[in-house]
Amino acid sequence: MNRNLLFSKTRRQLAIWFVSVMAIILIVCEFSLDRALSQAYKATLDRELTSVANTLHNGFVTILDRPGTLESNVSNLLPDICPYSDDCYESDNSSLMPVEAIYKIEYYVSLLSSEGNPVAIAGKRIKSLPLTPTKSEWLELLDDDGFPYRQTTLTLHTKDNLVWGYLQVGRSLEEVKKYTSTMRRVLIVGFPFILSLIAVGAWWLVGKVMQPIYRSYRQIQQFTADAAHELRTPLAAIRATVESSLMKPRLTDANARNTLQTVSRQNQRLSQIVSDLMILSRLDRQLSGVKSSNEIESVILNDLVSDIAEEFAALAISANLQLKQQINTSQNLTVKGNSEQLYRLVSNLVINAIKYTPSSGEITIILESEHNEAVIRVRDTGIGIAPPEQKKIFDRFYRVNSDRSRQTGGSGLGLAISKAIALAHNGSIEVQSEINRGSSFIIRLPKYH
Ligand code: ADP
């Protein structure tokens, strides 16, 4: 297939299209995955922040008495709490904080009065982070170095449920940034790797899908070449005969008659090939689902076999052969189909049997029923077919020995037509043969009740 320019180009183009579509899908998936994972990670951090802020709030509620005033015992809750001043940033005692999560993850805590003025800070001391006297619940902040932070704000209450001020708890988003950038690196590095795998897969897959198309393309090519070859032989014979007659200075009646007889014979051969080709083309259309204009009817195979045996009896006798029929069923076997085509199917086999059986041989047409099928066997005691040829004899224009067959007048289309008719009737045809002992062609057709 790769040596055929049209097919290798089509295969390449299809593979490129496939990879491009997959690349777009992959980019969309990676982008969505990246977004979904970062969102999920952020949501987990927010839950943690909320939980820490609530824990602290619940602790403060049991301690705080007067709005905006820091009680001395708040250090029981946050030992490193520092009333707000620049000195707070000198030392960092976050490891003393009792809320385990705080010292593990390095949260910072700010207490603001209800007017928004800083009262105290605890936890991680980040001087470069702006104090935000804002009451909005969630904020994302940047310190002076551009590092991102996430912060939540809760309203803080006293023991008597008066508004004390605000509690702000925050943490660095550096970890999220690191996580997302690692994930992006993995996705970016993985992208060409996955894409190369897809490209290899696409090349293989497209090749596999194109195999049957390529096979039928080759068959059509072969068929066209064979048909041209078959038509050329009689045409060349006609031309040679006519030219040799024209070259004669005087044409006698006998010469003219001879020439015309040759032309007529070759013309008959041409007409036979053309009509066989037309039958095959009609059967091909029938097989590909195009409805036949011919009537579908119930065909009684008992009658069909008897008619054929009767019709070819004279031909068999002239070839010194015995033609017998053997109907192994007491009832009529009926199939649904086209009677003309079915007649052609069986008669092709009988004609072949007569052609390829030496004188004083025997030909038997057997009709029997097997399960849901009607079976017709055409058995002869002829020259037989070698096993490697048995697979090929149903191919169009195939002849076991072309010279020998041409002497018998065959064009190699008879069995191809029989097979096409059997298939068009949802049946099958097969051969069993032994060289010099004879052949048996078996047709199976679904019975019609
Ligand atoms: P042809 O018109 O040449 O007979 P067919 O398609 O009918 O073409 O048959 C294909 C080939 O199969 C023939 O060339 C012949 O060699 C072989 N063949 C068919 N039927 C028989 C048979 N009954 N015995 C031996 N050879 C056969």
Side-chain angles (χ1 to χ4, degrees), residues 29 45 71 92 95 111 115 121-122 134 151 154 175 197 203 211 245 295 302 342 369 375 397 405 431 443 449:
C29 286
L45 290 190
E71 310 303 330
D92 184 349
S95 59
L111 297 178
E115 293 79 34
I121 59 170
T134 164
Q151 176 182 293
L154 291 184
E175 214 180 299
L197 282 184
W203 184 251
Q211 276 299 337
S245 300
E295 281 288 314
N302 306 50
L342 290 170
S369 168
V375 181
F397 293 114
S405 262
V431 64
I443 304 163
H449 305 284

PDB file of all heavy atoms in Angstrom, residues 29 45 71 92 95 111 115 121-122 134 151 154 175 197 203 211 245 295 302 342 369 375 397 405 431 443 449:
ATOM      1  N   CYS A  29      -8.155  18.892  27.135  1.00  0.00           N
ATOM      2  CA  CYS A  29      -8.206  18.039  28.338  1.00  0.00           C
ATOM      3  C   CYS A  29      -7.160  18.476  29.346  1.00  0.00           C
ATOM      4  O   CYS A  29      -7.437  18.586  30.543  1.00  0.00           O
ATOM      5  CB  CYS A  29      -7.960  16.579  27.970  1.00  0.00           C
ATOM      6  SG  CYS A  29      -9.349  15.828  27.160  1.00  0.00           S
ATOM      7  N   LEU A  45      -7.361  24.402  50.386  1.00  0.00           N
ATOM      8  CA  LEU A  45      -6.683  25.422  51.220  1.00  0.00           C
ATOM      9  C   LEU A  45      -7.711  26.320  51.895  1.00  0.00           C
ATOM     10  O   LEU A  45      -7.578  26.658  53.080  1.00  0.00           O
ATOM     11  CB  LEU A  45      -5.763  26.278  50.349  1.00  0.00           C
ATOM     12  CG  LEU A  45      -4.519  25.585  49.818  1.00  0.00           C
ATOM     13  CD1 LEU A  45      -3.593  26.596  49.180  1.00  0.00           C
ATOM     14  CD2 LEU A  45      -3.770  24.869  50.934  1.00  0.00           C
ATOM     15  N   GLU A  71      -7.318  41.130  75.961  1.00  0.00           N
ATOM     16  CA  GLU A  71      -7.213  40.641  77.349  1.00  0.00           C
ATOM     17  C   GLU A  71      -5.856  39.973  77.522  1.00  0.00           C
ATOM     18  O   GLU A  71      -5.271  39.467  76.556  1.00  0.00           O
ATOM     19  CB  GLU A  71      -8.320  39.613  77.638  1.00  0.00           C
ATOM     20  CG  GLU A  71      -9.719  40.039  77.253  1.00  0.00           C
ATOM     21  CD  GLU A  71     -10.188  41.339  77.897  1.00  0.00           C
ATOM     22  OE1 GLU A  71      -9.739  41.624  79.022  1.00  0.00           O
ATOM     23  OE2 GLU A  71     -10.961  42.088  77.270  1.00  0.00           O
ATOM     24  N   ASP A  92      10.048  35.873  65.670  1.00  0.00           N
ATOM     25  CA  ASP A  92       8.978  35.028  65.110  1.00  0.00           C
ATOM     26  C   ASP A  92       8.842  33.801  65.986  1.00  0.00           C
ATOM     27  O   ASP A  92       9.671  32.906  65.969  1.00  0.00           O
ATOM     28  CB  ASP A  92       9.349  34.622  63.672  1.00  0.00           C
ATOM     29  CG  ASP A  92       8.215  33.840  63.041  1.00  0.00           C
ATOM     30  OD1 ASP A  92       7.283  33.460  63.759  1.00  0.00           O
ATOM     31  OD2 ASP A  92       8.291  33.609  61.806  1.00  0.00           O
ATOM     32  N   SER A  95       6.369  28.929  66.473  1.00  0.00           N
ATOM     33  CA  SER A  95       6.426  27.529  66.891  1.00  0.00           C
ATOM     34  C   SER A  95       5.742  27.321  68.244  1.00  0.00           C
ATOM     35  O   SER A  95       5.456  26.203  68.630  1.00  0.00           O
ATOM     36  CB  SER A  95       7.867  27.070  66.964  1.00  0.00           C
ATOM     37  OG  SER A  95       8.537  27.894  67.891  1.00  0.00           O
ATOM     38  N   LEU A 111      -5.417  40.697  64.319  1.00  0.00           N
ATOM     39  CA  LEU A 111      -6.664  41.114  64.969  1.00  0.00           C
ATOM     40  C   LEU A 111      -6.852  42.589  64.683  1.00  0.00           C
ATOM     41  O   LEU A 111      -5.926  43.388  64.878  1.00  0.00           O
ATOM     42  CB  LEU A 111      -6.576  40.879  66.475  1.00  0.00           C
ATOM     43  CG  LEU A 111      -6.416  39.417  66.926  1.00  0.00           C
ATOM     44  CD1 LEU A 111      -6.283  39.333  68.448  1.00  0.00           C
ATOM     45  CD2 LEU A 111      -7.606  38.586  66.489  1.00  0.00           C
ATOM     46  N   GLU A 115     -12.963  49.327  63.752  1.00  0.00           N
ATOM     47  CA  GLU A 115     -12.731  50.421  62.797  1.00  0.00           C
ATOM     48  C   GLU A 115     -11.715  50.005  61.732  1.00  0.00           C
ATOM     49  O   GLU A 115     -11.417  50.753  60.800  1.00  0.00           O
ATOM     50  CB  GLU A 115     -12.172  51.684  63.497  1.00  0.00           C
ATOM     51  CG  GLU A 115     -13.133  52.367  64.440  1.00  0.00           C
ATOM     52  CD  GLU A 115     -13.220  51.669  65.784  1.00  0.00           C
ATOM     53  OE1 GLU A 115     -12.180  51.125  66.244  1.00  0.00           O
ATOM     54  OE2 GLU A 115     -14.324  51.612  66.347  1.00  0.00           O
ATOM     55  N   ILE A 121      -0.921  40.964  66.265  1.00  0.00           N
ATOM     56  CA  ILE A 121      -0.660  39.957  65.227  1.00  0.00           C
ATOM     57  C   ILE A 121      -0.070  38.725  65.884  1.00  0.00           C
ATOM     58  O   ILE A 121       0.458  38.813  67.007  1.00  0.00           O
ATOM     59  CB  ILE A 121       0.287  40.474  64.117  1.00  0.00           C
ATOM     60  CG1 ILE A 121       1.626  40.909  64.709  1.00  0.00           C
ATOM     61  CG2 ILE A 121      -0.335  41.594  63.321  1.00  0.00           C
ATOM     62  CD1 ILE A 121       2.683  41.192  63.648  1.00  0.00           C
ATOM     63  N   ALA A 122      -0.169  37.580  65.204  1.00  0.00           N
ATOM     64  CA  ALA A 122       0.398  36.332  65.725  1.00  0.00           C
ATOM     65  C   ALA A 122       0.762  35.449  64.535  1.00  0.00           C
ATOM     66  O   ALA A 122       0.445  35.758  63.395  1.00  0.00           O
ATOM     67  CB  ALA A 122      -0.612  35.627  66.622  1.00  0.00           C
ATOM     68  N   THR A 134      -9.786  45.622  55.655  1.00  0.00           N
ATOM     69  CA  THR A 134     -11.001  45.338  54.888  1.00  0.00           C
ATOM     70  C   THR A 134     -11.781  44.206  55.537  1.00  0.00           C
ATOM     71  O   THR A 134     -11.202  43.341  56.185  1.00  0.00           O
ATOM     72  CB  THR A 134     -10.644  44.987  53.428  1.00  0.00           C
ATOM     73  OG1 THR A 134     -11.778  44.381  52.849  1.00  0.00           O
ATOM     74  CG2 THR A 134      -9.507  44.009  53.339  1.00  0.00           C
ATOM     75  N   GLN A 151      -6.254  35.030  52.190  1.00  0.00           N
ATOM     76  CA  GLN A 151      -6.624  35.485  53.529  1.00  0.00           C
ATOM     77  C   GLN A 151      -8.145  35.450  53.710  1.00  0.00           C
ATOM     78  O   GLN A 151      -8.894  35.775  52.797  1.00  0.00           O
ATOM     79  CB  GLN A 151      -6.110  36.919  53.692  1.00  0.00           C
ATOM     80  CG  GLN A 151      -6.501  37.571  54.993  1.00  0.00           C
ATOM     81  CD  GLN A 151      -5.979  38.993  55.016  1.00  0.00           C
ATOM     82  OE1 GLN A 151      -4.769  39.216  55.059  1.00  0.00           O
ATOM     83  NE2 GLN A 151      -6.865  39.955  54.981  1.00  0.00           N
ATOM     84  N   LEU A 154     -12.928  37.056  59.594  1.00  0.00           N
ATOM     85  CA  LEU A 154     -14.160  36.741  60.336  1.00  0.00           C
ATOM     86  C   LEU A 154     -14.439  37.885  61.309  1.00  0.00           C
ATOM     87  O   LEU A 154     -13.501  38.500  61.823  1.00  0.00           O
ATOM     88  CB  LEU A 154     -13.980  35.471  61.178  1.00  0.00           C
ATOM     89  CG  LEU A 154     -13.846  34.113  60.492  1.00  0.00           C
ATOM     90  CD1 LEU A 154     -13.770  33.024  61.562  1.00  0.00           C
ATOM     91  CD2 LEU A 154     -15.026  33.859  59.596  1.00  0.00           C
ATOM     92  N   GLU A 175       2.889  27.254  47.823  1.00  0.00           N
ATOM     93  CA  GLU A 175       2.796  25.805  47.638  1.00  0.00           C
ATOM     94  C   GLU A 175       1.906  25.469  46.421  1.00  0.00           C
ATOM     95  O   GLU A 175       2.239  24.611  45.618  1.00  0.00           O
ATOM     96  CB  GLU A 175       2.152  25.217  48.891  1.00  0.00           C
ATOM     97  CG  GLU A 175       2.675  23.848  49.266  1.00  0.00           C
ATOM     98  CD  GLU A 175       1.974  23.380  50.523  1.00  0.00           C
ATOM     99  OE1 GLU A 175       2.110  24.076  51.563  1.00  0.00           O
ATOM    100  OE2 GLU A 175       1.268  22.384  50.443  1.00  0.00           O
ATOM    101  N   LEU A 197       3.012   9.064  20.592  1.00  0.00           N
ATOM    102  CA  LEU A 197       2.332   7.759  20.698  1.00  0.00           C
ATOM    103  C   LEU A 197       1.075   7.748  19.832  1.00  0.00           C
ATOM    104  O   LEU A 197       0.795   6.787  19.122  1.00  0.00           O
ATOM    105  CB  LEU A 197       1.949   7.480  22.152  1.00  0.00           C
ATOM    106  CG  LEU A 197       3.059   7.001  23.081  1.00  0.00           C
ATOM    107  CD1 LEU A 197       2.485   6.669  24.445  1.00  0.00           C
ATOM    108  CD2 LEU A 197       3.741   5.766  22.510  1.00  0.00           C
ATOM    109  N   TRP A 203      -1.021   6.207  12.556  1.00  0.00           N
ATOM    110  CA  TRP A 203      -0.428   5.648  11.321  1.00  0.00           C
ATOM    111  C   TRP A 203      -0.839   4.189  11.161  1.00  0.00           C
ATOM    112  O   TRP A 203      -1.264   3.739  10.101  1.00  0.00           O
ATOM    113  CB  TRP A 203       1.095   5.793  11.393  1.00  0.00           C
ATOM    114  CG  TRP A 203       1.792   5.334  10.151  1.00  0.00           C
ATOM    115  CD1 TRP A 203       2.555   4.213   9.992  1.00  0.00           C
ATOM    116  CD2 TRP A 203       1.790   5.987   8.874  1.00  0.00           C
ATOM    117  NE1 TRP A 203       3.023   4.120   8.719  1.00  0.00           N
ATOM    118  CE2 TRP A 203       2.572   5.199   7.996  1.00  0.00           C
ATOM    119  CE3 TRP A 203       1.200   7.143   8.383  1.00  0.00           C
ATOM    120  CZ2 TRP A 203       2.764   5.536   6.667  1.00  0.00           C
ATOM    121  CZ3 TRP A 203       1.405   7.475   7.052  1.00  0.00           C
ATOM    122  CH2 TRP A 203       2.177   6.686   6.222  1.00  0.00           C
ATOM    123  N   GLN A 211      -6.670  -0.937   4.588  1.00  0.00           N
ATOM    124  CA  GLN A 211      -6.325  -2.228   3.959  1.00  0.00           C
ATOM    125  C   GLN A 211      -7.437  -2.775   3.048  1.00  0.00           C
ATOM    126  O   GLN A 211      -7.185  -3.076   1.887  1.00  0.00           O
ATOM    127  CB  GLN A 211      -6.001  -3.286   5.024  1.00  0.00           C
ATOM    128  CG  GLN A 211      -4.576  -3.276   5.557  1.00  0.00           C
ATOM    129  CD  GLN A 211      -3.520  -3.525   4.502  1.00  0.00           C
ATOM    130  OE1 GLN A 211      -3.805  -4.116   3.468  1.00  0.00           O
ATOM    131  NE2 GLN A 211      -2.328  -3.039   4.746  1.00  0.00           N
ATOM    132  N   SER A 245      -7.300 -10.591 -45.196  1.00  0.00           N
ATOM    133  CA  SER A 245      -8.222 -10.703 -46.334  1.00  0.00           C
ATOM    134  C   SER A 245      -8.063  -9.503 -47.259  1.00  0.00           C
ATOM    135  O   SER A 245      -8.088  -9.641 -48.492  1.00  0.00           O
ATOM    136  CB  SER A 245      -9.678 -10.776 -45.867  1.00  0.00           C
ATOM    137  OG  SER A 245      -9.847 -11.881 -45.054  1.00  0.00           O
ATOM    138  N   GLU A 295     -37.913  -9.603 -10.736  1.00  0.00           N
ATOM    139  CA  GLU A 295     -38.876 -10.084  -9.734  1.00  0.00           C
ATOM    140  C   GLU A 295     -38.224 -11.136  -8.833  1.00  0.00           C
ATOM    141  O   GLU A 295     -37.500 -12.002  -9.297  1.00  0.00           O
ATOM    142  CB  GLU A 295     -40.057 -10.722 -10.462  1.00  0.00           C
ATOM    143  CG  GLU A 295     -41.046  -9.718 -11.017  1.00  0.00           C
ATOM    144  CD  GLU A 295     -41.855  -9.049  -9.938  1.00  0.00           C
ATOM    145  OE1 GLU A 295     -42.336  -9.764  -9.057  1.00  0.00           O
ATOM    146  OE2 GLU A 295     -41.987  -7.813  -9.968  1.00  0.00           O
ATOM    147  N   ASN A 302     -36.370 -28.545  -7.239  1.00  0.00           N
ATOM    148  CA  ASN A 302     -36.571 -29.869  -7.866  1.00  0.00           C
ATOM    149  C   ASN A 302     -36.786 -29.685  -9.371  1.00  0.00           C
ATOM    150  O   ASN A 302     -36.177 -30.377 -10.189  1.00  0.00           O
ATOM    151  CB  ASN A 302     -37.800 -30.570  -7.276  1.00  0.00           C
ATOM    152  CG  ASN A 302     -37.722 -30.661  -5.770  1.00  0.00           C
ATOM    153  OD1 ASN A 302     -37.476 -29.665  -5.117  1.00  0.00           O
ATOM    154  ND2 ASN A 302     -37.919 -31.850  -5.218  1.00  0.00           N
ATOM    155  N   LEU A 342     -30.690 -18.268 -10.711  1.00  0.00           N
ATOM    156  CA  LEU A 342     -30.426 -19.573 -10.085  1.00  0.00           C
ATOM    157  C   LEU A 342     -30.155 -20.633 -11.160  1.00  0.00           C
ATOM    158  O   LEU A 342     -29.306 -21.515 -10.990  1.00  0.00           O
ATOM    159  CB  LEU A 342     -31.601 -19.977  -9.194  1.00  0.00           C
ATOM    160  CG  LEU A 342     -31.727 -19.124  -7.918  1.00  0.00           C
ATOM    161  CD1 LEU A 342     -33.035 -19.414  -7.206  1.00  0.00           C
ATOM    162  CD2 LEU A 342     -30.567 -19.367  -6.975  1.00  0.00           C
ATOM    163  N   SER A 369     -31.715 -31.762   1.230  1.00  0.00           N
ATOM    164  CA  SER A 369     -32.021 -30.739   2.233  1.00  0.00           C
ATOM    165  C   SER A 369     -31.137 -30.976   3.452  1.00  0.00           C
ATOM    166  O   SER A 369     -30.966 -32.111   3.894  1.00  0.00           O
ATOM    167  CB  SER A 369     -33.495 -30.868   2.605  1.00  0.00           C
ATOM    168  OG  SER A 369     -33.754 -30.107   3.738  1.00  0.00           O
ATOM    169  N   VAL A 375     -29.378 -27.930  -0.602  1.00  0.00           N
ATOM    170  CA  VAL A 375     -28.007 -28.134  -1.073  1.00  0.00           C
ATOM    171  C   VAL A 375     -28.040 -28.774  -2.458  1.00  0.00           C
ATOM    172  O   VAL A 375     -28.713 -29.783  -2.678  1.00  0.00           O
ATOM    173  CB  VAL A 375     -27.229 -29.037  -0.079  1.00  0.00           C
ATOM    174  CG1 VAL A 375     -25.791 -29.229  -0.540  1.00  0.00           C
ATOM    175  CG2 VAL A 375     -27.272 -28.442   1.315  1.00  0.00           C
ATOM    176  N   PHE A 397     -12.024 -13.880 -14.163  1.00  0.00           N
ATOM    177  CA  PHE A 397     -11.061 -14.127 -15.234  1.00  0.00           C
ATOM    178  C   PHE A 397      -9.987 -15.147 -14.859  1.00  0.00           C
ATOM    179  O   PHE A 397      -9.021 -15.319 -15.587  1.00  0.00           O
ATOM    180  CB  PHE A 397     -10.369 -12.827 -15.709  1.00  0.00           C
ATOM    181  CG  PHE A 397     -11.304 -11.865 -16.391  1.00  0.00           C
ATOM    182  CD1 PHE A 397     -11.601 -10.640 -15.826  1.00  0.00           C
ATOM    183  CD2 PHE A 397     -11.892 -12.198 -17.600  1.00  0.00           C
ATOM    184  CE1 PHE A 397     -12.462  -9.747 -16.455  1.00  0.00           C
ATOM    185  CE2 PHE A 397     -12.755 -11.306 -18.238  1.00  0.00           C
ATOM    186  CZ  PHE A 397     -13.045 -10.089 -17.657  1.00  0.00           C
ATOM    187  N   SER A 405      -7.992 -23.806 -20.987  1.00  0.00           N
ATOM    188  CA  SER A 405      -9.364 -23.317 -20.887  1.00  0.00           C
ATOM    189  C   SER A 405      -9.805 -22.585 -22.129  1.00  0.00           C
ATOM    190  O   SER A 405     -10.960 -22.620 -22.498  1.00  0.00           O
ATOM    191  CB  SER A 405      -9.501 -22.396 -19.691  1.00  0.00           C
ATOM    192  OG  SER A 405     -10.030 -23.109 -18.648  1.00  0.00           O
ATOM    193  N   VAL A 431     -15.932 -25.748  -3.288  1.00  0.00           N
ATOM    194  CA  VAL A 431     -15.514 -26.848  -4.154  1.00  0.00           C
ATOM    195  C   VAL A 431     -14.712 -27.862  -3.346  1.00  0.00           C
ATOM    196  O   VAL A 431     -13.985 -27.487  -2.420  1.00  0.00           O
ATOM    197  CB  VAL A 431     -14.684 -26.320  -5.353  1.00  0.00           C
ATOM    198  CG1 VAL A 431     -13.387 -25.671  -4.925  1.00  0.00           C
ATOM    199  CG2 VAL A 431     -14.405 -27.432  -6.356  1.00  0.00           C
ATOM    200  N   ILE A 443     -23.508 -26.027  -3.615  1.00  0.00           N
ATOM    201  CA  ILE A 443     -24.216 -24.743  -3.450  1.00  0.00           C
ATOM    202  C   ILE A 443     -25.144 -24.899  -2.256  1.00  0.00           C
ATOM    203  O   ILE A 443     -25.873 -25.898  -2.150  1.00  0.00           O
ATOM    204  CB  ILE A 443     -25.085 -24.427  -4.693  1.00  0.00           C
ATOM    205  CG1 ILE A 443     -24.241 -24.435  -5.959  1.00  0.00           C
ATOM    206  CG2 ILE A 443     -25.825 -23.121  -4.531  1.00  0.00           C
ATOM    207  CD1 ILE A 443     -25.086 -24.541  -7.219  1.00  0.00           C
ATOM    208  N   HIS A 449     -39.791 -21.431   3.446  1.00  0.00           N
ATOM    209  CA  HIS A 449     -40.896 -22.344   3.850  1.00  0.00           C
ATOM    210  C   HIS A 449     -42.238 -21.815   3.377  1.00  0.00           C
ATOM    211  O   HIS A 449     -42.485 -20.649   3.446  1.00  0.00           O
ATOM    212  CB  HIS A 449     -40.919 -22.484   5.377  1.00  0.00           C
ATOM    213  CG  HIS A 449     -39.573 -22.922   5.881  1.00  0.00           C
ATOM    214  ND1 HIS A 449     -39.119 -24.207   5.767  1.00  0.00           N
ATOM    215  CD2 HIS A 449     -38.551 -22.240   6.462  1.00  0.00           C
ATOM    216  CE1 HIS A 449     -37.907 -24.292   6.275  1.00  0.00           C
ATOM    217  NE2 HIS A 449     -37.540 -23.116   6.698  1.00  0.00           N
TER     218      HIS A 449
END
